[in-house]
């Protein structure tokens, strides 16, 4: 019995420690990126994503925020942009599809690396899968201009 | 400015560590104790056929359930408590990174106005497909 207790105590402390040494530096880095608004400054090179998915350029920032900082932060930025009227329903649906499959990539990947998983496989598969899925949905959902044309034809 | 960012980052990091400690420690204890009871073998036997699809041992079912219902940290407590190979950890990590914390995260995605069924369906399918692919590939390599 004592052995089991000892095993559980040391094992669990060890697990917490191995996660702590990863999570604290990540949080510091993310906080610096956030405070210095680094993402706002580097959205341009990622506008190609908006072109591929045929969404507005306003979708790029919430997408990057979600990928790096996590779903809740991403959702915060999305809700903010939606309130300002920068996003239409299609934009919203597509970024949500991307972000539910792929978010907080550094945090989620590195905590698994800490317990022995292969981080490259994880990160690359997740990004590619989310990209392909969003692309498929972007083909299925007609782009904004098409919707307008259809509505005109109907009316 | 930079100092403040670093302080804030450390604060958040410590808070997160505390939050995950509260999850990891009990999970780790429960699973370690379970391993000394026949219960773990029963669970392992029951889930063996399903988990075999992903090239995982039956016990891995517990980790997948923990990760999907609670969060990744609970799953990590489980991964550390059960002896798994790096390949098995990668398969579990792959599946869980697509589909985790379903209760909390689905509530968040609902706020964005996308249907709950759709979100859960997308995430679980991605987890299953990626689990099968990585499991099979891993078996070959």
């Amino acid at each position: 019995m004592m052995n089991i207790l000892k095993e559980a105590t040391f094992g669990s402390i060890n697990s917490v420690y191995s996660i702590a040494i990863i999570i604290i530096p990540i949080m510091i880095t993310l906080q610096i990126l956030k405070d210095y608004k680094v993402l706002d400054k580097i959205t341009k090179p990622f506008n190609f994503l908006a072109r591929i998915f045929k969404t507005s350029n306003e979708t790029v920032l919430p997408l990057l925020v979600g990928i790096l900082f996590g779903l809740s932060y991403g959702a915060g930025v999305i809700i903010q942009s939606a309130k300002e009227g920068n996003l239409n329903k299609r934009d919203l649906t597509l970024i949500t599809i991307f972000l539910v499959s792929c978010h907080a990539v550094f945090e989620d990947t590195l905590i698994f690396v800490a317990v022995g998983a292969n981080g490259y496989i994880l990160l690359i598969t997740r990004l590619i899968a989310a990209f392909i899925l969003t692309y498929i949905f972007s083909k299925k959902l007609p782009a904004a201009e098409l919707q307008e044309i259809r509505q005109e034809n109907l009316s | 400015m930079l100092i403040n960012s670093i302080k804030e980052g450390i604060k958040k990091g410590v808070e997160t560590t505390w939050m995950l400690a509260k999850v990891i420690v009990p999970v780790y204890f429960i699973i370690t104790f379970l391993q000394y009871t026949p219960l773990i073998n029963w669970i392992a036997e029951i889930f063996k056929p399903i988990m075999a699809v992903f090239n995982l041992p039956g016990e891995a079912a517990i980790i997948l359930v923990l990760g999907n219902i609670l969060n990744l940290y609970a799953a990590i407590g489980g991964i550390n408590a059960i002896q798994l190979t790096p390949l098995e950890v990668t398969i579990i990590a792959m599946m869980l990174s697509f589909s985790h914390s379903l209760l909390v995260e689905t509530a968040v995605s609902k706020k964005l106005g996308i249907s709950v069924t759709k979100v859960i369906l997308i995430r679980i399918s991605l987890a299953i497909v990626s689990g099968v692919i990585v499991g099979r590939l891993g078996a070959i390599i």
Side-chain angles (χ1 to χ4, degrees):
Chain A
M1 189 62 195
M2 269 322 276
N3 273 346
I4 308 176
L5 259 180
K6 217 163 127 190
E7 186 191 329
T9 311
F10 283 115
S12 56
I13 291 173
N14 219 339
S15 303
V16 173
Y17 173 74
S18 62
I19 302 296
I21 54 168
I22 285 178
I23 219 80
I24 296 173
I26 292 180
M27 289 299 169
I28 298 171
T29 315
L30 292 182
Q31 193 63 39
I32 293 171
L33 290 179
K34 215 179 288 170
D35 288 349
Y36 286 86
K37 299 204 177 356
V38 174
L39 287 189
D40 299 74
K41 287 163 197 150
I42 57 153
T43 52
K44 261 226 171 83
F46 295 95
N47 280 351
F48 76 93
L49 286 171
R51 276 202 301 279
I52 294 172
F53 300 142
K54 296 200 173 58
T55 55
S56 68
N57 281 343
E58 311 297 326
T59 55
V60 178
L61 182 64
L63 204 56
L64 291 182
V65 171
I67 293 174
L68 285 181
F69 303 131
L71 195 55
S72 318
Y73 284 114
V77 179
I78 293 171
I79 290 168
Q80 191 57 38
S81 316
K83 267 189 198 147
E84 288 163 13
N86 295 328
L87 300 174
N88 60 37
K89 178 78 186 144
R90 183 177 177 277
D91 292 345
L92 260 177
T93 311
L94 291 177
I95 20 186
T96 312
I97 288 170
F98 194 104
L99 288 182
V100 290
S101 356
C102 183
H103 54 253
V105 290
F106 288 119
E107 190 184 332
D108 287 1
T109 307
L110 288 175
I111 59 172
F112 280 122
V113 172
V115 293
N118 184 318
Y120 299 109
I121 298 182
L122 277 182
L123 183 63
I124 292 167
T125 318
R126 212 167 164 210
L127 284 170
I128 292 177
F131 180 85
I132 293 174
L133 194 70
T134 312
Y135 185 73
I136 294 170
F137 273 94
S138 79
K139 287 286 157 195
K140 262 180 60 183
L141 295 167
E145 309 96 76
L146 289 174
Q147 258 170 348
E148 275 163 31
I149 294 167
R150 273 186 203 167
Q151 273 160 3
E152 276 166 23
N153 285 344
L154 285 173
S155 56
Chain B
M1 180 78 181
L2 183 62
I3 294 291
N4 282 339
S5 300
I6 294 174
K7 272 189 196 155
E8 186 62 28
I10 293 174
K11 202 180 130 221
K12 279 190 186 160
V14 172
E15 277 170 11
T16 313
T17 306
W18 174 237
M19 191 194 72
L20 64 91
K22 285 193 288 191
V23 180
I24 290 182
V25 174
V27 168
Y28 198 104
F29 267 82
I30 293 168
I31 294 190
T32 307
F33 278 99
L34 266 184
Q35 278 178 314
Y36 289 92
T37 68
L39 196 63
I40 192 104
N41 293 328
W42 297 339
I43 298 173
E45 278 305 312
I46 295 168
F47 289 100
K48 209 173 169 184
I50 306 173
M51 290 295 111
V53 177
F54 308 115
N55 196 14
L56 287 173
E59 301 96 304
I62 306 175
I63 299 169
L64 292 180
V65 170
L66 282 172
N68 277 294
I69 293 182
L70 293 174
N71 52 41
L72 289 181
Y73 300 116
I76 291 206
I79 291 176
N80 273 335
I82 296 175
Q83 297 292 323
L84 295 164
T85 67
L87 172 64
E88 288 163 350
V89 177
T90 305
I91 300 168
I92 294 174
M94 192 77 255
M95 297 178 72
L96 281 177
S97 61
F98 282 121
S99 175
H100 57 249
S101 323
L102 289 181
L103 298 179
V104 174
E105 290 190 350
T106 308
V108 174
S109 38
K110 201 179 164 195
K111 273 199 193 134
L112 301 176
I114 180 167
S115 94
V116 171
T117 358
K118 206 181 199 175
V119 170
I120 294 184
L121 217 66
I122 288 175
R123 299 189 71 176
I124 294 184
S125 330
L126 280 174
I128 294 174
V129 172
S130 65
V132 171
I133 295 174
V134 180
R136 293 293 131 192
L137 282 180
I140 298 166
I141 299 162

